[in-house]
Amino acid sequence: MGNGILFVLSGPSGVGKGTVLEKLMEDYNGVSYSVSVTTRKPRSGEIDGEDYFFVSEEEFKKMKKNGDFIESARVHGNCYGTPKKFVDRKISKGEDIILEIDIQGAVQVREKYPDAVYIFLIPPSLEELENRLNKRGSEDSEAKTLRLKNAKSELQEVHKYDYEILNDNLEDAVEDLKYIIEEEKKRRDKNDY
Ligand code: ADP
Ligand code: 5GP
């Protein structure tokens, strides 16, 4: 059986990665979402095992030492990691999978999965990014300031990615993502003999 495709979606905090992915998954089952592990505290409405696997710093350290992650990084002060078992199982079954991870994580993934497809979501402007973080209202002012500061350096890294998608109109961004996924599937099918 052929290998599944690994898609990696990155972008600054508040650009709309979660929103775009949620909308994509509503009526599209061409990719599975890999749920990450984090030491961040759950936001109101977030569900353990669905949005993230929420763990303590100690549990995270143990998992890392155990080799349970394909990549992990400290982002905006918290630890995040991608579970290896889930990703490898899907990929080896020929199923396609999408990771929503930061740039440091994407760099680590590239070393292990050079054939992965890298997609970066960009905001219409830094002002709009700030509006979205404000609208989400999930960070205190210190955490928000850190995320906005990090956004400026993250946006300098877009060139490391294969595709960029502008998330201005949400429906358009979802369609763009779906289009990229479908085109990559077709491309790989063609080369698969
Ligand atoms: P991320 O996962 O990248 O941190 P979220 O998906 O949590 O970002 O989105 C941050 C905020 O921006 C949310 O309040 C969401 O409703 C809003 N948002 C996402 N996409 C758009 C869009 N295209 N236009 C306006 N608001 C958006
Ligand atoms: P948030 O706390 O807003 O959910 O996510 C903060 C940042 O962590 C985002 O840039 C998100 O892409 C990143 N992130 C989420 N899961 C992972 C992961 O498993 N690994 C890495 N490296 N980054 C992640």
Side-chain angles (χ1 to χ4, degrees), residues 9-14 17 33-38 40-41 43 46 51-52 60 69 71-76 78-83 99-106 108-109 133 136 138-139 147 154:
L9 180 70
S10 300
S13 182
K17 300 178 295 298
Y33 176 67
S34 160
V35 178
S36 293
V37 177
T38 185
R40 172 168 73 61
K41 297 280 166 285
R43 293 178 186 138
E46 281 186 330
D51 296 285
Y52 282 105
F60 192 94
F69 299 132
E71 63 72 36
S72 65
R74 187 167 277 277
V75 193
H76 317 310
N78 298 298
C79 296
Y80 297 84
T82 302
L99 314 181
E100 194 251 273
I101 61 175
D102 90 310
I103 297 159
Q104 306 167 72
Q108 295 170 47
V109 170
L133 279 175
R136 189 170 72 192
S138 50
E139 276 79 30
R147 282 169 184 249
E154 286 163 355

Side-chain angles (χ1 to χ4, degrees), residues 6 12 14 33-34 55-56 69 72 75 79 82 117 128-130 139 144 149 153 156 190 193:
L6 188 61
Y33 176 67
S34 160
V55 299
S56 65
F69 299 132
S72 65
V75 193
C79 296
T82 302
V117 179
E128 174 58 14
L129 188 66
E130 188 167 3
E139 276 79 30
K144 213 170 55 197
K149 178 176 163 274
S153 47
Q156 307 294 316
K190 250 189 242 157
Y193 54 83

